[in-house]
Amino acid sequence: TVGKFENHPYDGIPELLARLQEEGYQLLVATSKPEALSIEIMERFDIAKYFHRICGASLDRSRSSKEDVIDYLLNENETAEKIIMVGDTTFDIIGAAAHNIPGIGVAWGYGKVQDMIDAGAAAIAHTVEELYNLLTE
């Protein structure tokens, strides 16, 4: 009841999400964390409102890997024209690659930059502004 709220969005991320949404981008979440928990956390930090859909692992373990969650998300959002995965671990990059989606790694998360590069990241963003530029170019 406490630990799940002992985190916070990285500086500049809520503003980036708002900017992308205002510019008409459809934002989606694919996380290997349990879906209900992810939604609860994102609502607590007032960022769920920026996302068209938040998909996560299922409690029955039928969706547990990043690849499973991305597959589920894609099946739920078949109208998406261009998809880019943004993540902070090799699991994000590998999961995206399994679906022929380019993956952009961010240098400020939990994963190691070199590991994401080795996993085939299309790019690495070192700042929020750099991430914005990579997503909108």
Side-chain angles (χ1 to χ4, degrees):
T1 59
V2 176
K4 63 186 172 185
F5 299 129
E6 292 181 340
N7 55 59
H8 56 84
Y10 288 103
D11 291 341
I13 293 300
E15 295 82 3
L16 172 65
L17 297 173
R19 184 177 180 186
L20 290 169
Q21 186 185 59
E22 287 170 9
E23 293 177 8
Y25 291 92
Q26 185 180 80
L27 306 176
L28 309 163
V29 172
T31 179
S32 50
K33 294 171 186 64
E35 185 171 303
L37 177 67
S38 300
I39 292 169
E40 183 181 10
I41 292 169
M42 293 176 76
E43 286 175 347
R44 169 72 177 256
F45 293 105
D46 200 32
I47 59 174
K49 65 187 177 188
Y50 299 118
F51 294 94
H52 176 72
R53 182 85 166 84
I54 300 168
C55 293
S58 59
L59 295 178
D60 68 2
R61 309 288 295 160
S62 62
R63 280 190 322 271
S64 58
S65 73
K66 183 69 68 163
E67 290 178 36
D68 293 341
V69 174
I70 294 171
D71 188 54
Y72 175 71
L73 180 66
L74 292 174
N75 287 331
E76 294 289 311
N77 295 282
E78 295 177 8
T79 60
E81 294 177 23
K82 182 177 179 183
I83 298 174
I84 300 171
M85 176 74 168
V86 176
D88 66 346
T89 69
T90 57
F91 299 110
D92 299 315
I93 304 304
I94 292 168
H99 292 87
N100 297 314
I101 297 170
I104 298 174
V106 295
W108 57 82
Y110 290 102
K112 295 179 180 170
V113 169
Q114 190 59 53
D115 290 344
M116 290 185 283
I117 292 169
D118 293 344
I124 301 292
H126 296 277
T127 66
V128 173
E129 191 62 28
E130 187 177 358
L131 176 58
Y132 172 80
N133 292 334
L134 288 167
L135 290 171
T136 58
E137 61 182 30

